[in-house]
Amino acid sequence: MGINVVSADDFAAVSAKMVGFAIIELQKKLKRNVNLVLATGHTMVGFLDELSKVKGIDWKRVNAFHLDEYKGLDIEHPCSYAYFLTENLFSKVDIPEKNIHLISEIGKKDYMNILRRKGRADITMLGIGMDGHLAFNEPPNYSGFDSKMQEVKLTKETIDSNIDLYPEIKENPYAITMGMADIMESKKLFFLANKAKKAHIVKKALTGPVTEEVPASILQKHENVEIILDKAAGALVK
Ligand code: GLP
């Protein structure tokens, strides 16, 4: 597990440079497209913008997938994660529409199979929720390490954290998310966290016991994970 702690000002650009480099290196090696699984949320906004500016990525040779989506929100809904990714990345790069794989269009039954048929995730982006969730695998009900793509009911804390981006979340506290086992299938994981409010849960995830009560602690078991923290989020990690 590589842990990189950078200044808040450099967080987005350094993350984009590292992920961009990984995509470019894979594009040199692979004959097929690179399978990139994207995450959403506040942490990803600056990163996605910087990633769109990285020179040398051939976006025509990237298949985009994403971790999770609110239940029932299609791509036209301005609070959907599909819309978020279109706004923050897809509209800024030269990625063909056929390479974009959205949960709301494909559905949870087939989503992982399509990704596996294309060769599995090469790179998966991850943030962390305040309760340690990855994607939307909330403890204790949905964070089994063997969990597969599933529908979940969001906790109050997660609803509160996301209400600024999705004001109606209280009326629709449901989402479809890749499971923990699905995430662990990715060949490489990039885990990003910033801001002081994440310091405590980041410490638990990276240095505490590996437990389903802190879903992100599973990262300690993955053989190829790169951690990028700003100084505030990394303050308690030695
Ligand atoms: C949300 C998303 C996660 C994200 C996390 C952190 O609930 N489903 O994929 O990593 O919570 O979000 P933020 O970056 O807004 O703190």
Side-chain angles (χ1 to χ4, degrees), residues 211-230:
T211 162
E212 292 173 351
E213 284 158 39
V214 183
S217 64
I218 201 174
L219 295 175
Q220 296 177 42
K221 297 279 184 204
H222 197 281
E223 60 188 16
N224 192 354
V225 50
E226 203 65 59
I227 313 284
I228 310 168
L229 309 171
D230 77 351

Side-chain angles (χ1 to χ4, degrees), residues 117-184:
R117 274 207 296 276
K118 291 188 183 293
R120 281 170 42 210
D122 296 298
I123 295 173
T124 295
M125 301 304 306
L126 295 168
I128 185 169
M130 294 299 289
D131 55 6
H133 70 238
L134 294 180
F136 267 137
N137 296 292
E138 303 251 50
N141 293 343
Y142 304 105
S143 59
F145 287 164
D146 59 354
S147 61
K148 299 283 171 59
M149 197 122 191
Q150 59 182 338
E151 183 179 321
V152 298
K153 183 165 191 211
L154 304 172
T155 61
K156 186 181 176 310
E157 193 173 33
T158 297
I159 291 169
D160 291 345
S161 300
N162 288 290
I163 201 157
D164 61 328
L165 297 176
Y166 179 23
E168 284 94 50
I169 190 170
K170 272 192 181 154
E171 286 79 61
N172 180 36
Y174 299 97
I176 311 295
T177 179
M178 279 189 190
M180 298 299 290
D182 297 326
I183 290 170
M184 288 296 276

Side-chain angles (χ1 to χ4, degrees), residues 82-103:
Y83 193 95
F84 175 98
L85 290 169
T86 303
E87 286 287 290
N88 288 289
L89 183 67
F90 301 148
S91 61
K92 300 178 184 175
V93 297
D94 199 12
I95 185 166
E97 215 165 290
K98 68 172 172 44
N99 290 14
I100 299 173
H101 300 82
L102 300 171
I103 294 170

Side-chain angles (χ1 to χ4, degrees), residues 179-199:
M180 298 299 290
D182 297 326
I183 290 170
M184 288 296 276
E185 276 181 34
S186 181
K187 292 166 197 171
K188 188 171 182 71
L189 303 173
F190 281 94
F191 172 85
L192 272 52
N194 64 356
K195 308 242 157 78
K197 66 175 184 179
K198 297 279 175 74

Side-chain angles (χ1 to χ4, degrees), residues 5 12 51 54 134 200 220 230:
V5 182
L51 187 68
V54 172
L134 294 180
H200 185 64
Q220 296 177 42
D230 77 351

Side-chain angles (χ1 to χ4, degrees), residues 73-81 83-84 87 165:
L73 302 200
D74 63 19
I75 180 161
E76 310 299 334
H77 195 294
C79 301
S80 70
Y81 283 164
Y83 193 95
F84 175 98
E87 286 287 290
L165 297 176

